[in-house]
Amino acid sequence: MMDVTFNSTFAVTLQHELHQPVLSLPLSLQIGDLNRLTTDDPAQLAIMSHSTDATVVKQALVTLKSQVEQGGVLRVWWSTMPDDWLGYDWLCQQLADTDAQLRQVMVPLSQVITRPGLALQTLSDLSEVLPADIAHYLQLAQDVSEDEQRAHSYEWQALVVENAPLRVNLNGHLVSAPADFYDSLLERQIQPGRPIVQIIGEMLMRYSLGLPDRWYRARLQHILSTRG
């Protein structure tokens, strides 16, 4: 069995706790042209990752393809964050018409905890999962039925056709969105003399949107350029 995740930080945690290799696929599918997944261009592959190491991304895709062709068992870890959700959709598409088997661990980002005290725990993304909680989440693993896999595959195909600049989780629905969808949040943070890096830091800390800092930087530069 090969474990797969779309969050590179969580992949490290998972590998340490499971004591076995974990396939990390930080494809950054929430933003940009989804057709880049069909190219071997290093520059385009680098866009998939929050890092600039296209070689790592390309090798991970090769490893996944080999596992699928061998009809292996994949256990995918995902959440309702757009990058995870899109990754799960994409993986279901990759397994269509293959002999590979798929299991899933859908990690809840919000849940009630009772120790050390009663509280509602909310995670920004899978990178915040504690190592001690991995064993608990393993109990949530379940087989993905053919119907469920097909449904997520259809969702992926529809999003590729729309191929919007941005994809968001809107009231529990994964939808395509224009590039300026979050601009109003950025505009609230803009003040005379305030450094861009400070605005980006505020956005990352205040809102759990799953967007990389390069997205905020590009949108800020666009907003400021249109103000003259």
Side-chain angles (χ1 to χ4, degrees):
M1 178 184 293
M2 174 175 287
D3 287 276
V4 179
T5 177
F6 308 100
N7 185 297
S8 56
T9 301
F10 180 60
V12 175
T13 301
L14 203 56
Q15 182 167 313
H16 181 268
E17 291 302 304
L18 299 180
H19 306 291
Q20 63 187 41
V22 172
L23 188 62
S24 175
L25 289 168
L27 302 178
S28 299
L29 299 178
Q30 182 177 8
I31 59 176
D33 183 0
L34 294 179
N35 289 311
R36 68 184 187 270
L37 284 163
T38 63
T39 182
D40 289 327
D41 178 20
Q44 290 300 313
L45 288 171
I47 295 174
M48 296 182 191
S49 176
H50 290 186
S51 70
T52 57
D53 193 346
T55 303
V56 173
V57 178
K58 187 173 182 177
Q59 184 56 52
L61 292 171
V62 170
T63 300
L64 176 66
K65 182 178 180 180
S66 175
Q67 186 74 7
V68 171
E69 289 177 345
Q70 295 173 24
V73 179
L74 302 174
R75 182 170 58 195
V76 57
W77 297 70
W78 66 293
S79 73
T80 54
M81 289 300 291
D83 271 346
D84 286 338
W85 192 337
L86 282 153
Y88 180 55
D89 284 353
W90 170 79
L91 185 59
C92 286
Q93 171 67 21
Q94 302 311 298
L95 269 57
D97 302 319
T98 72
D99 294 327
Q101 302 175 53
L102 184 61
R103 304 202 79 210
Q104 66 151 327
V105 180
M106 207 283 201
V107 180
L109 295 179
S110 182
Q111 62 181 330
V112 174
I113 59 173
T114 57
R115 295 181 181 179
L118 182 64
L120 180 63
Q121 174 181 276
T122 302
L123 308 179
S124 295
D125 56 41
L126 294 186
S127 68
E128 297 184 354
V129 171
L130 297 176
D133 291 335
I134 297 298
H136 165 69
Y137 292 132
L138 270 173
Q139 300 176 31
L140 304 179
Q142 55 185 255
D143 294 332
V144 179
S145 69
E146 290 186 9
D147 286 343
E148 181 177 357
Q149 184 173 319
R150 190 177 300 111
H152 279 274
S153 175
Y154 291 162
E155 183 171 57
W156 170 257
Q157 293 171 29
L159 290 167
V160 170
V161 170
E162 295 171 353
N163 211 9
L166 181 66
R167 286 153 287 276
V168 303
N169 181 344
L170 187 62
N171 296 327
H173 299 280
L174 192 59
V175 299
S176 298
D180 61 0
F181 188 79
Y182 292 120
D183 281 10
S184 62
L185 299 179
L186 284 166
E187 290 172 345
R188 296 175 193 171
Q189 305 300 323
I190 297 176
Q191 299 173 8
R194 191 179 191 190
I196 286 181
V197 64
Q198 189 177 64
I199 297 174
I200 294 174
E202 181 71 16
M203 291 295 296
L204 292 172
M205 180 179 67
R206 179 173 295 190
Y207 304 107
S208 301
L209 303 176
L211 290 165
D213 56 4
R214 68 176 184 276
W215 174 268
Y216 291 126
R217 184 176 298 276
R219 293 310 305 166
L220 279 168
Q221 291 173 343
H222 172 77
I223 293 170
L224 293 174
S225 68
T226 58
R227 289 188 173 186

